[in-house]
């Protein structure tokens, strides 16, 4: 049953606004169902005057709602909104024309009005919870041109850039892409995603900062900020920003993060570690040591990324073999040898603004294939053949005790400050040594469980830093954080590029930092705990080499829990043997979203995540 007041129907027919299009589409969908049902929607009317912090804020805050069929925003960038006030006659028409958003409920069966009223009551409570934060500001974000170095891969091949382009558009930022000539974003057909494209030789060498400066100089209009989302361009982009007088994290601090040896010297001065250039160099070093290395050890390139070249060794023979492999795979590199830290691994993300922590969260990074032999309860026939440290699964929020998560926060924030990092989003990886929890194979699969009691006094937990990344987490985790917490790291990262580091000076910048910081604070307001649904990021790393043929997705019943996924490989893509290359590329990933919160939601996504892994099938030849 679909009915509409005749006068309102006529007024809508005379209107060609986005509100009109949304209502008409909803009515049409209801009629097309050809069954007794109700189309029910909630209009969002402004109660304060000002400007929305981003023009898709309602949609983004309702990504995980179970009540709505569709959510829409009706505002445009820097659109001034006024308090809705229209008592009496003309109310329906004004309400539709002045609405800044709408939420269409899932179809309700029958024609019982009380059912519609009850559903709207539930939606009202959820709307209040999700939108009770200052998302309307007195002044808008001034129009800014932000240049991003590296426009990310083709959107058909990877979702890495989707969030960047979406956030820039929603914030009203004019996005300038600096990348290699021939990059997909250079095409005129992609002009709707960016304001300008500037071609630049992106070879990572000493000349890259100057080439970025030259590219900025070619821009059609002044650039207000310069940033990047990729590790291999961070230092060079910061150096270019320094040359241009733009706000940036100091390039020296970023270089400390890139070089794991330098990071260790500053953050862990008492740790026994060693750097070497190869097997011949190592032989001389070992002769000079007062004691032999204590195994197990981790060996990895000092400037590697994505777990490339990370190997665990348990003897002199394995050490020499691993170093020999890495010498072949990474010629000219320097390698770090350090103690292998046991204990649960976490990914921890922090947002600092002017040196103050304004947001952080941690998630559980499940054991990689290389760590399975040390997990309690894992049978010999279940051990993977791979020695990869590539990620397998990450679940948020973390299950670790609050005391350990507090220790993580205080320890790692102190680490960031020691490194001179004060503004931005930082992705750190760490292990909790002597944690009160450990991974074990249970009747329901691999999970964190309480560690068994020990004889004597148990050491206090401590945090072992694995690495510091002065950027948001990978796009998979960044999307997951938005689903679970409602915070978009892509948007915050770009806004951070517009904020000064303490002591910096960029005289040509107008004094509008206060509104930028106000919007950053607004966008860092998490969803209330009852709406923080757990997420399991299921990674599918390649286990062998070959030519990709096809992939079969999990069944529909499992895909219902997956709001986002990506199969990276295309037919004909060649995967080099990971064991030979020391690189385990991802074939695919799946974001598994819970439909419950708390412990029940975590168990749900953990179990479904493993079913997704087992049911995803890909073929190589």
């Amino acid at each position: 049953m679909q009915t509409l007041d005749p006068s309102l129907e006529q007024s809508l027919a005379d209107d060609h606004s986005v509100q009109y299009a949304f209502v008409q589409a909803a009515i049409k969908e209801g009629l097309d169902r050809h069954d007794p049902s109700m189309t029910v929607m909630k209009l969002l009317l402004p109660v304060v005057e000002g400007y929305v912090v981003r023009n898709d804020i309602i949609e983004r805050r309702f990504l995980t709602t179970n009540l709505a069929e569709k959510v829409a925003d009706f505002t445009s960038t820097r659109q001034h909104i006024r308090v809705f006030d229209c008592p009496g006659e003309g109310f329906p028409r004004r309400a539709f024309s002045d609405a800044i958003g709408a939420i269409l409920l899932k179809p309700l069966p029958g024609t019982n009005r009380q059912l519609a009223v009850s559903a709207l009551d539930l939606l009202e409570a959820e709307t209040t919870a999700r939108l009770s934060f200052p998302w309307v500001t007195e002044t808008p974000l001034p129009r800014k041109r932000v240049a991003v170095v590296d426009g990310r891969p083709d959107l058909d091949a990877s979702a890495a850039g989707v969030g960047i382009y979406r956030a820039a558009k929603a914030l009203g930022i004019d996005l300038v892409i600096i990348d290699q000539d021939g990059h997909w974003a250079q095409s005129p057909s992609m002009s709707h995603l960016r304001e300008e494209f500037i071609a630049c030789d992106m070879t990572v060498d000493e000349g890259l900062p100057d080439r970025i400066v030259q590219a900025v100089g070619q821009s059609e209009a002044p650039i207000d900020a310069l940033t990047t989302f990729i590790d291999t361009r961070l230092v060079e982009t910061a150096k270019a920003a320094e040359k241009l007088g733009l706000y940036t994290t100091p390039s020296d601090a970023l270089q400390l993060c890139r070089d794991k040896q330098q990071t260790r010297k500053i953050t862990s001065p008492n740790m026994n570690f060693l750097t070497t250039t190869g097997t011949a160099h190592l032989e001389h070093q070992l002769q000079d040591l007062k004691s032999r290395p204590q195994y197990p050890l981790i060996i990895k390139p000092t400037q590697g990324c994505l777990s490339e070249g990370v190997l665990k060794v348990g003897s002199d023979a394995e050490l020499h073999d691993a170093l020999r492999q890495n010498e072949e795979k990474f010629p000219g590199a320097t390698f770090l040898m350090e103690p292998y830290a046991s204990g649960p691994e976490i990914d921890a993300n922090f947002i600092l603004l002017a040196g103050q922590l304004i947001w952080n969260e941690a998630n559980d990074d499940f054991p990689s294939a290389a760590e399975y032999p040390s997990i309690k309860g894992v049978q010999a026939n279940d051990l993977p053949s791979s020695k990869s440290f590539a990620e397998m699964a990450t679940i948020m929020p973390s299950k670790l005790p609050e005391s350990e998560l507090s220790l993580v926060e205080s320890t790692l924030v102190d680490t960031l400050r020691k490194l001179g990092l004060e503004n931005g989003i930082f992705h750190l990886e760490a292990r909790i040594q002597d944690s009160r929890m450990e991974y074990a194979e249970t009747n329901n699969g691999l999970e964190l469980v309480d560690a068994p009691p020990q004889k004597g006094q148990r050491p206090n937990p401590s945090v072992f830093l694995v690495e510091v990344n002065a950027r948001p987490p990978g796009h998979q985790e960044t999307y997951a954080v938005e689903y679970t917490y409602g915070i978009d790291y892509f948007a915050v990262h770009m806004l951070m590029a517009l904020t000064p580091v303490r002591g910096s000076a960029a005289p040509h910048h107008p004094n509008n930092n206060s509104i930028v910081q106000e919007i950053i604070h607004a966008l860092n307001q998490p969803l209330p705990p009852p709406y923080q649904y757990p997420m399991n990021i299921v990674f599918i790393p390649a286990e062998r080499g070959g030519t990709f043929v096809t992939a079969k997705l999990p069944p529909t019943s499992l895909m219902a829990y997956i709001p986002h996924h990506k199969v990276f490989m295309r037919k004909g893509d060649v995967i080099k043997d990971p064991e030979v290359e020391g690189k385990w590329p991802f074939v695919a990933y799946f974001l598994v979203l819970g439909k419950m919160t708390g412990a029940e939601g975590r168990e749900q996504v953990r179990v479904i995540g493993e079913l997704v892994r087992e049911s995803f099938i890909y073929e190589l030849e």
Side-chain angles (χ1 to χ4, degrees), residues 42 57 78 157 193 422 482 506 532-533 537 610:
K42 176 182 179 61
I57 187 66
R78 284 178 282 276
L193 295 176
E422 294 192 338
E482 188 179 17
Q532 292 179 6
Y533 296 99
I537 312 172
E610 285 311 301

Side-chain angles (χ1 to χ4, degrees), residues 296-298 312 338-343 371 374 389 431 433 464:
L297 295 173
I298 290 292
K312 180 182 177 183
E338 62 184 12
Y340 169 75
S342 59
E371 299 171 287
S374 61
F389 275 90
R431 288 183 182 272
Q433 294 182 296
F464 179 94

Side-chain angles (χ1 to χ4, degrees), residues 33-83:
R33 285 195 293 269
H34 300 293
D35 60 7
S37 63
M38 292 178 286
T39 297
V40 180
M41 73 173 61
K42 176 182 179 61
L43 297 177
L44 299 177
L45 303 172
V47 295
V48 294
E49 184 173 344
Y51 304 83
V52 295
V53 291
R54 57 183 292 172
N55 69 5
D56 61 355
I57 187 66
I58 301 169
E59 178 190 352
R60 305 314 297 174
R61 294 289 285 193
F62 277 83
L63 285 177
T64 58
T65 181
N66 292 316
L67 293 174
E69 180 83 3
K70 190 176 297 183
V71 180
D73 291 81
F74 298 147
T75 55
S76 57
T77 303
R78 284 178 282 276
Q79 174 188 334
H80 184 252
I81 58 175
R82 293 180 172 82
V83 177

Side-chain angles (χ1 to χ4, degrees), residues 104-156:
L104 176 66
L105 284 169
K106 292 180 179 178
L108 298 175
T111 58
N112 187 331
R113 180 181 177 85
Q114 186 55 46
L115 177 61
V117 171
S118 297
L120 285 171
D121 286 343
L122 290 173
L123 181 59
E124 176 66 21
E126 183 168 343
T127 302
T128 300
R130 290 180 180 269
L131 295 179
S132 289
F133 70 100
W135 51 281
V136 177
T137 59
E138 291 185 5
T139 57
L141 178 70
R143 189 166 184 173
K144 296 290 185 181
R145 286 170 60 84
V146 175
V148 172
V149 176
D150 191 295
R152 313 307 286 131
D154 182 346
L155 299 186
D156 289 334

Side-chain angles (χ1 to χ4, degrees), residues 223-246:
I223 297 295
D224 297 296
L226 184 67
T227 190
T228 187
F229 288 82
I230 186 168
D231 280 319
T232 54
R233 307 285 192 271
L234 281 172
V235 175
E236 290 73 19
T237 300
K239 287 181 178 180
E242 289 168 344
K243 291 173 180 285
L244 291 164
L246 299 173

